[in-house]
């Protein structure tokens, strides 16, 4: 990672190429940082999908977190949509983690196992 001084001094726009990526200093059209980050995320997974319920920072309202799904970003988004539809609730996809409103662990476990994932219930 570049130092703060390097980040502040770096070129962010070129009349020849337009906007530049702050990480790799390539034109945005040629930047592959997002793809590299996605590949790193997929490489760090162990193939087990973990379901856990969380209420921290949500004023007592519980959500079910689905972590460790070994899918690319667009496939993960489609899976999140299907799981929300299956549960009949809302939710979100944040940084590779699917959030489903309410305690839906049993429904999600059955659905994910049916889709061929190895699932573990984690946390409280």
């Amino acid at each position: 990672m570049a130092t703060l001084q390097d980040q502040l001094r770096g070129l962010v726009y070129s009349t020849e190429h337009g906007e530049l990526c702050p990480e790799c200093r390539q034109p945005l059209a040629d930047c592959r940082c997002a793809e590299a980050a996605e590949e790193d995320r997929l490489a760090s997974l162990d193939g087990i999908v973990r379901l856990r319920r969380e209420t921290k920072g949500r004023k007592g309202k519980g959500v079910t977190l689905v972590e460790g799904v070994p899918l690319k970003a667009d496939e993960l988004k489609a899976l999140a949509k299907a799981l929300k539809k299956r549960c009949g609730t809302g939710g979100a996809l944040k940084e590779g983690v699917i959030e489903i409103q309410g305690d839906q662990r049993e429904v999600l476990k059955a659905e994910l196992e049916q889709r061929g994932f190895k699932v573990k219930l984690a946390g409280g």
Side-chain angles (χ1 to χ4, degrees):
M1 176 154 189
T3 65
L4 179 61
Q5 291 294 329
D6 291 340
Q7 291 176 3
L8 293 175
R9 280 189 228 144
L11 184 65
V12 293
Y13 188 84
S14 167
T15 56
E16 183 178 344
H17 300 290
E19 288 188 50
L20 301 176
C21 174
E23 297 292 323
C24 64
R25 309 278 186 214
Q26 296 293 321
L28 286 181
D30 297 334
C31 177
R32 301 290 177 240
C33 293
E35 292 174 12
E38 184 69 16
E39 289 174 7
D40 290 343
R41 183 187 71 83
L42 289 173
S44 68
L45 300 177
D46 60 357
I48 299 173
V49 177
R50 288 175 173 78
L51 299 176
R52 83 184 151 100
R53 184 173 176 270
E54 185 176 278
T55 58
K56 188 174 184 178
R58 302 174 194 279
K59 299 180 182 177
K61 310 266 191 212
V63 296
T64 304
L65 300 178
V66 182
E67 300 174 325
V69 182
L71 296 175
K72 293 200 177 270
D74 53 344
E75 296 169 343
L76 195 61
K77 188 174 180 179
L79 177 65
K81 183 176 180 179
L83 293 177
K84 290 188 296 184
K85 189 173 185 178
R86 173 72 171 91
C87 295
T89 62
L93 175 62
K94 297 180 182 175
E95 299 174 3
V97 178
I98 301 172
E99 296 180 0
I100 305 290
Q101 294 175 351
D103 187 4
Q104 308 286 340
R105 289 178 292 183
E106 296 303 321
V107 174
L108 292 174
K109 182 176 181 181
E111 181 68 22
L112 290 169
E113 285 176 343
Q114 180 182 355
R115 291 175 181 253
F117 294 105
K118 185 175 179 184
V119 181
K120 281 188 177 178
L121 296 178

